[in-house]
Amino acid sequence: MRESTPVVVIGAGPAGLTLANLLRLAGVGCVVLERQSRSHVARRQRAGVLDYASTRIFEEWGLAETLLAGMPEDRVLEIRVDGEPHLLDMRALSGGRTGRAIPQQVLVARLMAAFLDGGGDLRFDAGEVTPHDLDGTAPKVTYRDADGTLHEIACDYIAGCDGYHGVTRESVPAEAMTTYSYDHGIGWFTVLADAPPPRRPLFAISAHGFAAQFPRGPAACRLYLECAPDDMPADWNDDRVWEQSRLRLGDDALPTGPITDKAVVEMRSFVVDPMRYGRLFLVGDAAHIITPMGGKGMNLAIADADVLARALRAAVHDGDEEPLAAYSATCLRRVWNQQEFSRWLTELTHEAGDSALAGTFRRQLARARLDRLFASGPAGRAFADLMAGG
Ligand code: APR
């Protein structure tokens, strides 16, 4: 089976689905190939916050109403230190640039529906997806459908939106990209629970170890608990999860509920430079991963998709390849800014509590940084600015 399209998008996570929608709105034809089934993609629960920059992207493309209806604003962040609450008014500190709390699977379901309702071509269960001839002028992608039929799609550009473990980055010669990676030296254990969510996103700092609790819709929450880097989910039975949560959040009356998912999060960062090879453009996790601290993974993917959609529109409609030439550098500036923010926040929140991690001197430094964050307007505004993204 042979066919052609201007752009093949590989992967239908937040990056691929955002890009596919923006390309459709830009009048650029594309085919999306996803390895998994539709129900698998729709069920995957991960991120839960759209920063302000992402909400602006969806507003500018006229998608905000479709995608964000009913999703609450993230107005206040609580940082609880040794059980004492400090409320950061993110709305005021950011000059009104607040994000939205939206479970990833809700956003993904709405992106899928919007693309398919608009006549988009999204193919699930695509096996053996392989990009070819990336460095020439006529790339193509082959894949095998669920019935075993081999397909070949000729295209002008390929968007690698297939996540960290995808096939597109692997198809680039190693010497064509520089890789940066960093192990943050801590572990995070995370659970999803059908338990009452906190009134606001919450970071908790104490000598018992870092913890965070975030709403995931009206009746569920996600908890993150600092743990040993080599911990396994089996090390955390439900009793230990709730006992440690109560202790670290300083809340003896913390409401509990059934735990629906447990996982150990790899606290690792990774960036490739450039995010392009010939006619292949890497988007989202295919090009960079970031720890969940700061909630930027999904937002970086959406920002990449926006830059690429605009650049592909210029290339396909106007023959102007300059925005495509700038794609990687434009995205990497934002990526490194957010990597730095995420690392800074990780140090702040972990070292301020746990002196075993970095010693008592660094613990005092982290406490001083926290005091500055709570007491100084400019420090609070700089923090809120980074949380807003962009
Ligand atoms: N062929 C086709 N599809 C593939 C292949 C392949 N060989 N390999 C992976 N995929 C698909 C995956 O099944 C998945 O649906 O690509 C998609 C990649 O999605 P994500 O891993 O979610 O990556 P991305 O879209 O960049 O997500 C950005 O959102 O919450 C998050 O943690 C996530 O930080 C990440 C962010």
Side-chain angles (χ1 to χ4, degrees):
M1 297 276 288
R2 288 223 172 98
E3 54 195 312
S4 71
T5 185
V7 182
V8 174
V9 177
I10 301 178
L17 288 170
T18 300
L19 180 63
N21 273 285
L22 305 192
L23 289 177
R24 187 180 62 78
L25 292 167
V28 176
C30 73
V31 174
V32 185
L33 300 177
E34 166 58 48
R35 182 172 59 177
Q36 303 283 0
S37 65
R38 180 171 184 168
S39 63
H40 179 98
V41 172
R43 272 200 318 266
R44 225 166 14 204
Q45 306 200 13
R46 291 202 280 199
V49 178
L50 266 191
D51 67 13
Y52 172 76
S54 295
T55 64
R56 284 291 301 149
I57 287 169
F58 289 134
E59 271 167 24
E60 283 167 14
W61 286 90
L63 284 168
E65 222 162 283
T66 313
L67 299 178
L68 307 183
M71 293 301 143
E73 234 181 311
D74 245 354
R75 287 176 173 224
V76 177
L77 171 68
E78 177 175 347
I79 302 186
R80 203 174 284 173
V81 185
D82 300 328
E84 191 190 324
H86 298 263
L87 300 186
L88 288 174
D89 182 343
M90 303 304 282
R91 185 170 227 278
L93 288 168
S94 67
R97 294 179 303 141
T98 49
R100 301 282 190 106
I102 178 166
Q104 173 169 329
Q105 70 277 17
V106 173
L107 181 67
V108 161
R110 291 181 181 184
L111 282 167
M112 267 197 288
F115 185 62
L116 293 169
D117 291 351
D121 188 341
L122 169 48
R123 306 179 191 179
F124 294 99
D125 302 302
E128 300 170 30
V129 173
T130 313
H132 305 268
D133 306 327
L134 299 174
D135 51 355
T137 52
K140 62 185 186 226
V141 178
T142 54
Y143 75 98
R144 200 174 289 282
D145 69 19
D147 298 330
T149 307
L150 191 65
H151 296 252
E152 179 180 306
I153 310 178
C155 56
D156 298 316
Y157 305 100
I158 299 171
C161 305
D162 47 350
Y164 180 66
H165 299 287
V167 67
T168 54
R169 192 182 65 253
E170 294 302 317
S171 55
V172 176
E175 65 278 10
M177 281 176 174
T178 303
T179 298
Y180 301 88
S181 64
Y182 186 71
D183 181 341
H184 293 261
I186 47 172
W188 267 20
F189 177 68
T190 182
V191 303
L192 272 173
D194 288 334
R199 281 177 56 205
R200 46 183 84 93
L202 164 64
F203 291 157
I205 293 164
S206 75
H208 304 292
F210 174 75
Q213 191 188 23
F214 301 114
R216 285 292 186 269
C221 66
R222 184 177 278 288
L223 280 155
Y224 290 105
L225 298 162
E226 180 188 354
C227 66
D230 54 357
D231 266 11
M232 305 291 282
D235 297 323
W236 287 83
N237 63 32
D238 293 11
D239 286 345
R240 184 177 178 208
V241 168
W242 293 116
E243 182 222 306
Q244 282 296 313
S245 301
R246 278 193 292 269
L247 196 63
R248 297 179 190 201
L249 300 181
D251 181 356
D252 288 340
L254 183 72
T256 63
I259 291 176
T260 54
D261 189 44
K262 290 183 180 180
V264 170
V265 182
E266 266 192 274
M267 293 298 278
R268 214 160 47 79
S269 297
F270 171 88
V271 180
V272 294
D273 181 355
M275 293 167 53
R276 169 188 192 168
Y277 177 70
R279 296 202 160 226
L280 167 69
F281 295 84
L282 299 177
V283 187
D285 273 20
H288 41 74
I289 54 171
I290 188 166
T291 74
M293 179 52 97
K296 293 299 176 186
M298 185 165 77
N299 292 297
L300 286 175
I302 291 167
D304 289 353
D306 176 53
V307 177
L308 187 57
R310 291 172 195 273
L312 287 170
R313 177 170 60 190
V316 170
H317 290 316
D318 311 326
D320 175 7
E321 295 240 347
E322 269 190 27
L324 276 182
Y327 168 74
S328 177
T330 305
C331 294
L332 284 172
R333 256 192 306 278
R334 179 185 302 106
V335 168
W336 281 115
N337 191 32
Q338 297 296 355
Q339 291 282 12
E340 193 285 330
F341 172 55
S342 176
R343 175 65 204 166
W344 172 84
L345 194 54
T346 302
E347 274 179 24
L348 176 74
T349 51
H350 290 67
E351 294 185 5
D354 183 358
S355 57
L357 202 63
T360 50
F361 186 82
R362 286 186 69 102
R363 178 180 179 278
Q364 295 310 106
L365 294 185
R367 292 261 159 166
R369 265 186 236 144
L370 267 182
D371 287 347
R372 189 188 302 147
L373 183 61
F374 300 144
S376 142
R381 285 197 290 280
F383 175 73
D385 195 50
L386 285 156
M387 287 293 273

